[in-house]
Amino acid sequence: MSLALLGALLIGLSLGLMGSGGSILTVPVLVYLVGEPPKQAIAESLLIVGGIALLGGLPYALRSLVDHRSLLLFGLPGMAGTYLGAWLSRFTSGEVQLLTFALVMLLAAYFMARPLPLRPRGARKAWKVVLEGLSVGVLTGFVGVGGGFLIVPALVLLGGLPMHLAVGTSLFIIALKSFAGFYKYLHLLPEYGLSVDWGLAPLFVALGAVGSFLGGRIAVRLPQEALKRGFALFLVVMGVFIVVQNL
């Protein structure tokens, strides 16, 4: 269990250091360090990710760094998509979900290693933002990741937001989507004879929040590009490991 708690700190540390990536560590930590079944781990991941994102977003909200238009256009369809993704999970095995998760890790590694030029282009058509929110939401519900590595570029390139505003808005979108998906999993888990570990999940949220705070303090002293590339390599290794374990 001590390794699992260390993993919880690393989840928050990653979020604090790079603004994304922490949520993508949650499912592997719960499956391979805690020993939970994949579907239970995905459900708890949504609760943990949502909790950490909500706590991390409060300082941005206090500084008025949340764009409410984008929150509605991206967040509400994202909640619907996450609920749909959680519903779709009932038709697949936990192993298929983990394999999909591994592919998402490799996609995240690509974005980390070769970041897109995040330059605001002015507000784009609302339907594009809505469609992106719905798509990322389905991914969130199906594999249990917050999707910050997709949301932030979408808000900048499609929503026309400056980077600092996109990050603050993204955290609340992640929280909304994650809680919507978690609500659906609460009704699905009993079908598999599973339930949420209500002692472990809040502990992960608390440790993740501490790790996020520490990561934010450390981030100003470290080269971000080197960190992102190192984390991308780690994601590739973990993604390959999950594929090998589930094939």
Side-chain angles (χ1 to χ4, degrees):
M1 180 58 72
S2 58
L3 281 176
L5 297 180
L6 178 60
L9 276 173
L10 291 176
I11 290 165
L13 191 64
S14 173
L15 282 168
L17 283 171
M18 292 171 288
S20 65
S23 62
I24 213 164
L25 299 177
T26 310
V27 171
V29 166
L30 293 174
V31 172
Y32 298 109
L33 295 183
V34 179
E36 293 185 347
K39 289 188 180 293
Q40 180 182 348
I42 289 171
E44 291 181 6
S45 171
L46 291 170
L47 175 61
I48 293 166
V49 168
I52 295 175
L54 182 61
L55 292 174
L58 292 178
Y60 286 89
L62 292 175
R63 288 180 289 167
S64 299
L65 293 177
V66 177
D67 183 76
H68 296 94
R69 177 181 180 272
S70 296
L71 184 61
L72 291 175
L73 289 178
F74 202 108
L76 294 182
M79 292 175 70
T82 304
Y83 192 89
L84 175 61
W87 177 78
L88 289 173
S89 72
R90 69 190 306 171
F91 302 109
T92 63
S93 66
E95 289 72 22
V96 170
Q97 286 177 272
L98 285 181
L99 285 171
T100 306
F101 183 86
L103 294 177
V104 173
M105 292 188 85
L106 296 176
L107 178 63
Y110 172 80
F111 277 102
M112 287 285 184
R114 301 183 63 180
L116 295 173
L118 297 180
R119 292 190 298 271
R121 298 181 180 178
R124 304 291 287 276
K125 292 182 179 179
W127 69 267
K128 291 185 177 181
V129 180
V130 169
L131 183 60
E132 182 81 11
L134 183 65
S135 303
V136 176
V138 172
L139 185 66
T140 296
F142 192 73
V143 300
V145 298
F149 67 97
L150 294 174
I151 296 172
V152 172
L155 290 176
V156 173
L157 299 176
L158 295 179
L161 301 185
M163 186 64 182
H164 62 287
L165 195 58
V167 171
T169 306
S170 172
L171 289 169
F172 282 97
I173 291 172
I174 289 171
L176 288 174
K177 294 191 301 91
S178 297
F179 292 143
F182 176 70
Y183 174 78
K184 180 60 179 176
Y185 272 101
L186 279 179
H187 297 84
L188 293 178
L189 288 181
E191 297 180 13
Y192 301 97
L194 301 171
S195 61
V196 174
D197 187 337
W198 291 105
L200 183 68
L203 181 59
F204 264 57
V205 171
L207 288 174
V210 171
S212 180
F213 174 77
L214 293 175
R217 298 293 295 271
I218 297 171
V220 296
R221 300 180 176 88
L222 298 176
Q224 291 297 294
E225 286 305 313
L227 277 172
K228 288 184 177 182
R229 287 174 183 167
F231 190 72
L233 178 61
F234 172 76
L235 289 180
V236 170
V237 173
M238 281 299 302
V240 172
F241 172 78
I242 293 173
V243 170
V244 170
Q245 289 290 311
N246 290 276
L247 284 180

